[in-house]
Amino acid sequence: MIYLKTDQEIELIKKSAQVLGKAHAEVAKWVKPGVTTRQLDSVAEEYIRDHEGVPSFKGFNGFPSSLCISVNEVVVHGFPSTYELRDGDIISIDCGVKLNGYHSDSAYTYPVGEVSEEVLTLLSRTKKSLYLGIEKATDGMRMGDVGFAIQNYVEQFGYSVIRELVGHGIGKSLHESPEVPNYGKRGKGIKLKEGMVLAIEPMINLGKKSVVQEKDGWTIRTSDRKPSAHFEHTVAVRKGKAEILTTFEYIEEVTANTSLMVMAP
Ligand code: MG
Ligand code: MG
């Protein structure tokens, strides 16, 4: 069952996404060598609760934290821990906020300190692929058009698209139908309709596409232990042009002209 949202509901998701974008920015201020991923989680949770929101992930299917923090070869669903960030790491920070009954979800991958050119480029191209996917999220297109745009762009560089993890519908629930794969065929899949709200989230590997789950039952990492990048926006399908409901604007006010900046490719 796919729930189409009214404009009023989309406005509520946007309000939740404003708190989310600012929570991300608070966290971005702390992304540096020596900081533990648990500290980052506390910053996010405090900001969200201080702004009348609830961290969507905390308690979701038993997930213990407000952020999913995924370092280097960890793709998604990493737990915040006592791990201290190191120079040369990349860190995906994924966060969700529930406000006035509606969820928003977004993710951003940061370079920590000095990161190799090869990995910096993986980040900028993964971010670019997100926007290429979003461009296709318009009324009348097919889900396969979104996935194709992402896959076709990243595979030309020898990167690979994870098959086991996909984006999702979002609204009153954090995860709703439909699934939003980051791969696909043009003109295939369900037809997109105005009012669908989708979390589009390319997870792109520098090496091979296969992933494994760690014994903790959550953490997903690449099988070859090469790095993986992840960017995500919550988007409303519209006629003509998709509407991006989440924002990286506040993050990028913090990261501008710092080593955390992810350049356009
Ligand atoms: Mg997310
Ligand atoms: Mg998501």
Side-chain angles (χ1 to χ4, degrees), residues 57 94 105-106 166-168 170 174-175 199-201 230 232 234:
F57 299 173
D94 192 354
D105 186 5
S106 72
V166 294
H168 49 93
I170 180 168
L174 177 62
H175 287 171
I200 302 179
E201 48 180 315
H230 178 211
E232 175 181 28
T234 297

